[in-house]
Amino acid sequence: MTVYTTIDSPLGELTLVGEELPGRGFALTAVSVRGQRGEVTVRPQWRRDPTPFAETERQLRAYFAGELTDFDLPLAPRGTEFRERVWKALDTIPYGSTVTYRELSARAGSPGAVRAIGGAVGANPLMIIRPCHRVVGSDGSLTGYAGGLDRKRALLALEGAL
């Protein structure tokens, strides 16, 4: 059963989606902000229930308050093996820092696959939690954020990375 809820944030309304997984318990599968490219669309068969998201909401609030630098949540995003490898490489980017797409391609074990890395980063279903906002262009410019460059700028400013 897929469940969801929405919460307010400094970036706008966030939609949180998760599932009960056999043998693993509840896991977060998506976080998106209203208006982003690839925004989560709530399906009729999903059940709205804020209860399983209490810890996710607590950690997000602490992050936005500048009190949390690393999320510790059960995650279960769905993607190809390549995308999942890239998404895990996002987890290696420390709070308050940035890497280029080229650097991320090396971390993901696919040096030189910069375009494919960009596509996988853009498809990250766990915005904020998996820090795709910390990936920048080769010249350090802010590029390619599904939530929009203003939101990317705000997240990097919050982390002191600008």
Side-chain angles (χ1 to χ4, degrees):
M1 168 63 76
T2 301
V3 294
Y4 77 98
T5 194
T6 58
I7 63 169
D8 290 329
S9 84
L11 301 181
E13 184 179 83
L14 298 178
T15 301
L16 311 178
V17 182
E19 292 183 9
E20 278 293 327
L21 301 174
R24 289 187 52 200
F26 182 80
L28 193 63
T29 58
V31 175
S32 73
V33 65
R34 181 161 296 189
Q36 84 171 57
R37 185 183 67 232
E39 174 183 355
V40 168
T41 302
V42 173
R43 298 188 178 146
Q45 66 269 29
W46 293 0
R47 182 174 45 94
R48 186 179 191 118
D49 182 0
T51 307
F53 299 100
E55 181 59 16
T56 303
E57 183 174 358
R58 185 194 71 73
Q59 288 189 33
L60 282 165
R61 294 209 185 289
Y63 169 81
F64 285 120
E67 301 165 355
L68 182 83
T69 59
D70 290 304
F71 292 96
D72 184 17
L73 297 165
L75 308 176
R78 288 189 190 90
T80 64
E81 181 182 322
F82 175 77
R83 284 184 174 181
E84 289 183 10
R85 193 170 26 136
V86 172
W87 297 339
K88 286 183 181 176
L90 289 171
D91 292 338
T92 69
I93 308 169
Y95 179 93
S97 65
T98 60
V99 300
T100 65
Y101 288 94
R102 184 166 309 287
E103 290 169 316
L104 186 63
S105 71
R107 288 181 187 208
S110 297
V114 177
R115 260 180 216 225
I117 294 291
V121 169
N124 171 27
L126 292 163
M127 101 178 308
I128 306 163
I129 306 294
R130 284 245 157 101
C132 53
H133 58 277
R134 296 179 189 155
V135 184
V136 297
S138 60
D139 61 358
S141 62
L142 302 186
T143 61
Y145 189 61
L149 293 183
D150 288 343
R151 289 180 176 128
K152 183 173 190 164
R153 191 173 292 108
L155 291 168
L156 292 174
L158 170 72
E159 294 183 8
L162 285 183

